[in-house]
Amino acid sequence: MRTIYIEIDEQSEIPLYLQLANQIIRAIATGEAMPYEPLPSGRALAGDLGINMHTVNKAYHYLEDKQFIQVLPKSGAIIHPAARRQATQEEKEDISNRLQPIIDEAKCLQLTDDEIYQLIKGEKI
């Protein structure tokens, strides 16, 4: 099992479970975490991060609902075999709905379309 670097910011406005989930999604997106790769148990990850086990379980359930991980009975969690897949129309609409307020805010702050595109690609501006 490769190690995914996860950093939790307890001062952030983003809930801890979502910080954890987002970082696992990023690891999948960048190829740092591959299909079928096992994830640490909820108890082990909670201990490593210094957070409550229920927070890890909430993140894992969130990721399972979105089909990024698969929780196997008595075996633990793995990266879902189809974690990187073609998005459904519903998933595209959901992403669009979540991105639109951020894009609107960026435009209010006079970021150019090119700068917004750079941010979407994960580049610094």
Side-chain angles (χ1 to χ4, degrees):
M1 170 176 24
R2 288 184 273 185
T3 302
I4 300 171
Y5 180 73
I6 295 173
E7 186 175 335
I8 298 296
D9 178 3
E10 296 197 17
Q11 305 306 313
S12 174
E13 293 180 12
I14 300 169
L16 298 178
Y17 86 93
L18 201 49
Q19 290 181 50
L20 175 57
N22 287 341
Q23 290 181 58
I24 292 172
I25 292 169
R26 181 158 183 84
I28 295 166
T30 62
E32 186 182 347
M34 301 299 288
Y36 298 101
E37 196 168 315
L39 292 166
S41 71
R43 186 178 310 276
L45 189 53
D48 290 346
L49 297 174
I51 61 175
N52 190 297
M53 184 180 70
H54 297 294
T55 301
V56 175
N57 288 339
K58 186 172 183 179
Y60 278 11
H61 287 295
Y62 173 85
L63 291 166
E64 186 175 35
D65 287 345
K66 292 191 166 283
Q67 296 182 345
F68 287 112
I69 71 168
Q70 194 172 21
V71 178
L72 305 170
K74 300 182 182 176
S75 298
I78 62 168
I79 302 299
H80 196 287
R84 292 189 66 161
R85 65 188 181 287
Q86 195 70 266
T88 65
Q89 187 59 38
E90 183 180 320
E91 290 169 325
K92 288 177 184 179
E93 289 172 12
D94 178 55
I95 288 171
S96 176
N97 290 336
R98 289 185 288 141
L99 274 176
Q100 195 58 56
I102 295 168
I103 292 169
D104 293 342
E105 181 179 347
K107 288 182 177 183
C108 286
L109 296 172
Q110 298 183 356
L111 272 70
T112 66
D113 287 347
D114 286 340
E115 288 173 320
I116 293 169
Y117 182 65
Q118 282 180 277
L119 291 172
I120 289 170
K121 289 184 356 183
E123 298 174 1
K124 300 283 184 195
I125 57 170

